[in-house]
Amino acid sequence: MFITEHKGALVFEINNEYVLYNTYTDDFVKIEKNNNFDISLTAEMEEKFVKEGIIFEDDFEYNSVSRYMINKSKYVSNVLQITDALSYNCNLKCVYCMQQNIDKKETCLSFIKKVEEWKYLKELFNCCSLNVCLFGGEPFIDLKYVRGLVNYAKEIDLADINYTVVTNGTIVNDELINLMNESNFEKIQITVDGLELTHNKRRVSNEFNCFSLIIVNLKKLLEKTNIKIIINTVIDNNNFEEINDMVNFLISEFTEHIFSDEKRIVFNFGMECHPSGKSNYTISSIPNILDYTKRYYDFLIEIVRKGIFISQLFPTPLCINKVEKDILLAPNGDVFKCISGLGSNEYLISTYDELMTNPMSLFINLSKHIERYNSPCQCCKYQSLCNGGCYYNSILEDKKFICSKSILDATIEDILYLKMITDVQNDGSYRIKKDFAE
């Protein structure tokens, strides 16, 4: 139970103890509860907790350090992350596709111009390294184009790029496997939304059984490559009750790759999001957001007890829209700051031509997105968790901003509990502590 705040830390009463949790440093400590049922720390404890990053010395320090911590996570990085939507083409027609209501007639840049844009952006941001996430549409629908990107990047001295891929998992052949093994492909994200019937209703193909093909292709990737696999699942009203069974099925198929300390498979469970303009499917499938989020965390607590590795525990404090060196490229090279808003003018940072001729316009528009603050957020205890709410949802709902305070009030204890029962791994994934596993 949340009881108070103390010098920047949220204080909870849990199992006859006090837990102090600093959302800015993501650290917590447990202390014994006194007989007066109030939070009182000795001078020695105060000094110790300040040094450990649990609390701040005073309000001035809290205000300055908290803003510093947020800005540090937004700006302090020598790595440029580019999510590149190679095209809008796809071999599936998914019911909740984020691109279903946008114009897909845009021209795709040649692979030479795309790679040169990557290099240009890396130099503009003065970054030491470059991570590229291949996105779409379906990024593997044109493997010749992907090979062109990878080979040309090597030719112009960008050979150290780390590649990740977001794919529907239906295209895995010898050509792709060879390409992955020859280059720095680190992770591949494939969505599985339930068992066979449910998954196939959502990720529609008239040519093949999507679910069965994905399982076959997962086995190929595990056998013939060293790539790490993220199983992504979008949860809504239609599959909430089935996800446990889906996870159990995947465990039965890939036990060694899921539970080994050298695991190859990590799970990512996400919540449904409306596409631009919304869709009949998401309108009917997304629950009330407060109930949805509470149910989501109840589910996450239950699912981690299986001992699987999961990619995240908490609401993403800084999405692509708020991080300076995390950008999205459209097929035609235009720069965006929201994956959900790809192709929508509200999220356009710079056209390709503007970027190549007037790079200062890129930074001017970036600053407008990254430094967008809402005055009610400045004194909110949750600002480090939501960072001003989702800009995409505010545009979608035609509001100035979307406040998440009521949602976090209802779920903060679940978030802290997840933090307490899991350990973070070297790759940033989380796993249940042995004492809490099933």
Side-chain angles (χ1 to χ4, degrees):
M1 176 179 66
F2 172 74
I3 54 174
T4 189
E5 296 179 62
H6 182 73
K7 296 187 175 181
L10 306 182
V11 183
F12 300 84
E13 183 182 335
I14 300 176
N15 297 331
N16 295 316
E17 292 179 308
Y18 291 129
V19 180
L20 280 69
Y21 175 43
N22 189 311
T23 61
Y24 298 97
T25 60
D26 197 29
D27 286 319
F28 71 92
V29 68
K30 299 177 184 179
I31 61 174
E32 291 184 4
K33 189 167 61 176
N34 59 38
N35 294 328
N36 297 322
F37 296 97
D38 64 356
I39 178 69
S40 57
L41 303 178
T42 65
E44 183 180 3
M45 293 171 70
E46 292 262 352
E47 182 180 1
K48 180 175 184 290
F49 293 161
V50 167
K51 289 180 179 178
E52 292 176 351
I54 303 296
I55 61 175
F56 299 106
E57 286 193 32
D58 50 41
D59 287 341
F60 174 79
E61 183 182 76
Y62 163 63
N63 291 331
S64 60
V65 173
S66 63
R67 178 53 53 198
Y68 165 75
M69 294 298 290
I70 290 175
N71 282 338
K72 181 180 178 182
S73 58
K74 291 194 297 188
Y75 295 111
V76 181
S77 175
N78 285 322
V79 180
L80 177 62
Q81 175 66 51
I82 295 177
T83 301
D84 195 330
L86 305 185
S87 80
Y88 293 129
N89 294 330
C90 188
N91 59 338
L92 297 181
K93 187 176 182 180
C94 299
V95 292
Y96 54 69
C97 178
M98 298 306 293
Q99 297 167 9
Q100 61 187 273
N101 298 322
I102 65 172
D103 182 9
K104 299 183 176 67
K105 297 178 182 178
E106 294 188 52
T107 302
C108 295
L109 287 184
S110 69
F111 65 78
I112 290 177
K113 286 188 175 181
K114 257 300 172 68
V115 173
E116 288 176 345
E117 184 179 15
W118 297 351
K119 185 176 183 180
Y120 181 62
L121 286 165
K122 181 184 175 184
E123 292 168 351
L124 277 180
F125 284 98
N126 194 28
C127 288
C128 297
S129 58
L130 179 61
N131 293 338
V132 174
C133 175
L134 304 181
F135 192 66
E138 169 50 49
F140 291 149
I141 203 155
D142 186 352
L143 283 177
K144 183 178 179 182
Y145 184 85
V146 176
R147 180 170 285 280
L149 290 169
V150 173
N151 288 345
Y152 187 65
K154 293 176 181 177
E155 285 183 31
I156 63 170
D157 199 27
L158 284 178
D160 59 344
I161 296 174
N162 294 315
Y163 294 99
T164 60
V165 188
V166 176
T167 170
N168 60 40
T170 62
I171 302 173
V172 177
N173 53 34
D174 290 342
E175 181 183 359
L176 176 60
I177 287 170
N178 290 337
L179 180 62
M180 287 182 171
N181 289 334
E182 294 165 3
S183 306
N184 299 330
F185 280 78
E186 290 192 340
K187 295 179 183 178
I188 184 168
Q189 177 178 299
I190 297 174
T191 296
V192 183
D193 275 343
L195 295 172
E196 184 171 340
L197 183 61
T198 297
H199 179 89
N200 288 345
K201 281 183 177 179
R202 293 157 69 120
R203 308 182 77 75
V204 182
S205 170
N206 296 322
E207 299 179 7
F208 48 79
N209 183 318
C210 183
F211 181 86
S212 297
L213 183 57
I214 287 172
I215 300 303
V216 170
N217 287 340
L218 284 171
K219 292 177 179 178
K220 284 183 185 178
L221 290 167
L222 290 165
E223 178 184 348
K224 298 182 178 182
T225 76
N226 292 318
I227 198 166
K228 298 292 182 68
I229 296 170
I230 300 171
I231 301 292
N232 179 62
T233 302
V234 180
I235 304 175
D236 58 29
N237 273 336
N238 296 318
N239 66 351
F240 244 125
E241 304 300 329
E242 192 174 299
I243 303 305
N244 246 319
D245 291 336
M246 180 203 78
V247 172
N248 288 337
F249 170 78
L250 293 171
I251 287 173
S252 69
E253 293 287 318
F254 307 110
T255 303
E256 176 186 353
H257 300 294
I258 290 174
F259 291 114
S260 166
D261 288 339
E262 301 299 321
K263 84 282 186 186
R264 296 275 303 281
I265 295 178
V266 173
F267 289 83
N268 179 72
F269 302 102
M271 297 170 67
E272 186 72 273
C273 183
H274 292 294
S276 180
K278 300 190 178 181
S279 72
N280 291 333
Y281 178 83
T282 56
I283 289 170
S284 64
S285 302
I286 298 179
N288 169 275
I289 189 62
L290 186 58
D291 296 337
Y292 193 10
T293 311
K294 187 68 175 73
R295 190 177 179 190
Y296 170 79
Y297 281 110
D298 289 343
F299 159 79
L300 209 55
I301 291 171
E302 177 185 1
I303 208 76
V304 297
R305 292 189 184 279
K306 293 182 180 294
I308 63 175
F309 293 85
I310 62 173
S311 62
Q312 61 180 14
L313 294 181
F314 314 115
T316 305
L318 290 173
C319 71
I320 184 175
N321 196 50
K322 280 290 188 179
V323 181
E324 180 198 30
K325 295 171 184 175
D326 195 341
I327 59 178
L328 172 67
L329 300 183
N332 67 351
D334 290 351
V335 181
F336 288 81
K337 282 298 286 179
C338 177
I339 290 177
S340 299
L342 174 66
S344 300
N345 288 333
E346 291 92 341
Y347 308 94
L348 178 66
I349 299 297
S350 173
T351 67
Y352 173 76
D353 290 337
E354 288 172 339
L355 171 66
M356 305 308 287
T357 58
N358 182 18
M360 186 53 65
S361 65
L362 171 72
F363 293 104
I364 291 171
N365 290 328
L366 274 177
S367 67
K368 294 175 183 177
H369 279 254
I370 296 171
E371 294 301 323
R372 182 185 291 108
Y373 293 115
N374 305 301
S375 55
C377 302
Q378 302 307 305
C379 57
C380 177
K381 61 179 179 285
Y382 298 128
Q383 65 170 316
S384 65
L385 293 179
C386 82
N387 205 23
C390 176
Y391 182 54
Y392 176 81
N393 282 338
S394 70
I395 296 293
L396 209 61
E397 301 296 332
D398 194 25
K399 296 179 180 178
K400 185 175 181 180
F401 72 101
I402 300 292
C403 180
S404 301
K405 186 177 185 300
S406 61
I407 296 171
L408 286 163
D409 279 338
T411 58
I412 187 63
E413 291 178 46
D414 294 326
I415 294 169
L416 176 59
Y417 184 68
L418 278 165
K419 166 78 177 169
M420 293 169 63
I421 67 173
T422 57
D423 285 321
V424 63
Q425 310 299 307
N426 291 334
D427 63 354
S429 63
Y430 296 83
R431 195 182 197 184
I432 192 83
K433 295 175 180 176
K434 291 182 179 179
D435 292 347
F436 295 94
E438 287 183 344

